[in-house]
């Protein structure tokens, strides 16, 4: 008997209750395929639906695995055409995050793909239930990258969504970087975990080697949730979803002065100039609070197996009361 068998694994025909976060810019075809080969559900981070990127990365994932995989979008940044293009490739699931999913849900359902909606607060969770989500991802504020400005931590948030959404399966997200976190998510009533930062530090991730190194060397206390870097780089991200990143010179320079930064054209030019001359990285280093637990750069397929084994061990220890 597989102790990690859940409604999620049964619904998607995967071995382990682990889903790759569809991280824009790093969850490409190679990473998604590796996660799926390892027994999880690999997800492409299609972001704003760039057609050239999607065509390239879908061909990679389709050629490297015969297991289920899916596509994730930033809901605020896409149109129906982007979703329709993705559905044309036959993904097992489409995930919508950050914004109103309602314009896209019926089209996804008609195509036969599973509808996964990520939520960051209770109001979003209720809407996801009303829209008929097949899976709901409950993202706590420990998560790397963008999330709720006024959200809740994973530990109290996930059980609330589990109770609200039942019987819809819920995946926990935010601050999960090893099998103990996965075990904790299952104990909270979740059907699995959505994992992002941990998978950025793998050999298949589409990230600059310097970013992978920064994650391996990073510490949780060095992460910060802020809108400063989005403003400085001219991002269109909605202000209600600031981003958790590792430390950055512009955070130190503009912390608490976001309104001033938004009105300072020269600051934006300075940011671009600093990127061009290599004084700051091309992109912020998105990283969650569990970054301390990331100490190596394995293959993603091996990592899925490791996470599942660690979770089984953690659950067994919890049942026996053993700490070793």
């Amino acid at each position: 008997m597989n102790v990690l068998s859940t409604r999620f694994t049964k619904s998607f025909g995967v071995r382990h209750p682990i889903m790759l976060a569809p991280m824009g810019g790093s969850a490409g075809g190679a990473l998604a395929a590796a996660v799926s080969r390892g027994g999880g559900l690999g997800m492409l981070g299609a972001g704003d639906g760039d057609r050239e990127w999607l065509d390239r990365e879908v061909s990679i994932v389709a050629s490297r695995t015969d297991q289920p995989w899916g596509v994730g979008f930033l809901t605020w940044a896409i149109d129906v055409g982007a979703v329709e293009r993705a559905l044309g490739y036959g993904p097992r699931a489409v995930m919508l995050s950050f914004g109103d999913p309602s314009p896209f849900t019926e089209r996804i359902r008609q195509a036969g793909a599973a509808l996964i909606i990520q939520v960051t607060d209770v109001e979003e969770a209720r809407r996801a239930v009303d829209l008929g989500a097949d899976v709901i991802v409950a993202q706590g504020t420990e998560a790397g990258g963008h999330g709720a400005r006024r959200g809740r931590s994973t530990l109290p948030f996930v059980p609330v969504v589990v109770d609200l959404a039942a019987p819809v399966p819920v995946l926990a997200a935010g601050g999960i970087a090893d099998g103990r976190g996965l075990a904790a998510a299952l104990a909270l009533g979740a059907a699995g975990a959505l994992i992002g930062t941990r998978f950025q530090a793998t050999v298949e991730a589409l990230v600059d080697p310097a970013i992978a190194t920064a994650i391996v060397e990073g510490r949780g206390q060095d992460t910060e949730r802020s809108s400063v870097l989005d403003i400085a780089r001219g991002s269109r991200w909605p202000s209600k979803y600031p981003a958790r990143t590792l430390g950055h010179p512009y955070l130190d320079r503009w912390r608490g002065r976001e309104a001033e930064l938004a009105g300072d054209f020269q600051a934006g030019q300075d940011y671009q100039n600093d990127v061009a001359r290599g004084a700051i990285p091309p992109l912020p280093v998105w990283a969650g609070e569990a970054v301390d637990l990331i100490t190596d750069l394995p293959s993603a397929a091996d990592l899925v197996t490791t996470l599942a084994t660690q979770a089984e061990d953690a659950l067994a220890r919890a049942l026996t009361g053993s700490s070793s």
Side-chain angles (χ1 to χ4, degrees), residues 110-254:
Q110 289 173 352
L115 171 63
I116 302 175
I117 299 178
Q118 180 167 249
V119 303
T120 65
D121 59 34
V122 173
E123 180 182 347
E124 290 181 352
R126 289 197 181 99
R127 182 170 58 189
V129 172
D130 291 343
L131 289 172
D134 297 299
V135 176
I136 294 174
V137 176
Q139 187 205 56
T141 54
E142 298 95 327
H146 291 83
R149 182 178 297 278
R150 297 177 58 85
R152 303 185 195 178
S153 298
T154 303
L155 189 66
F157 184 48
V158 170
V160 171
V161 179
V162 168
D163 291 348
L164 184 155
V168 178
V170 172
L171 301 184
I176 301 172
D178 67 6
R180 292 171 296 182
L182 172 58
L186 297 174
L188 293 174
L194 177 90
I195 301 177
T197 307
R198 169 67 273 203
F199 280 110
Q200 282 203 101
T202 57
V203 296
E204 295 90 354
L206 279 179
V207 298
D208 187 280
I211 289 179
T213 299
I215 290 172
V216 169
E217 295 177 352
R219 300 176 302 171
Q221 64 264 37
D222 296 331
T223 69
E224 179 177 348
R225 186 170 293 283
S226 171
S227 59
V228 164
L229 297 180
D230 281 339
I231 297 171
R233 63 196 184 97
S235 170
R236 296 186 297 114
W237 264 92
S239 60
K240 70 176 291 188
Y241 301 118
R244 183 174 297 283
T245 69
L246 289 177
H248 191 285
Y250 274 70
L251 288 174
D252 297 333
R253 188 180 308 174
W254 290 98

Side-chain angles (χ1 to χ4, degrees), residues 25-61:
S26 54
L31 180 54
V35 169
S36 291
R37 288 198 310 272
L41 182 63
M43 298 289 289
L44 291 172
D48 62 2
D50 179 87
R51 185 165 193 163
E52 182 179 345
W53 189 95
L54 192 60
D55 289 345
R56 181 180 68 247
E57 299 304 325
V58 164
S59 68
I60 293 172
V61 70

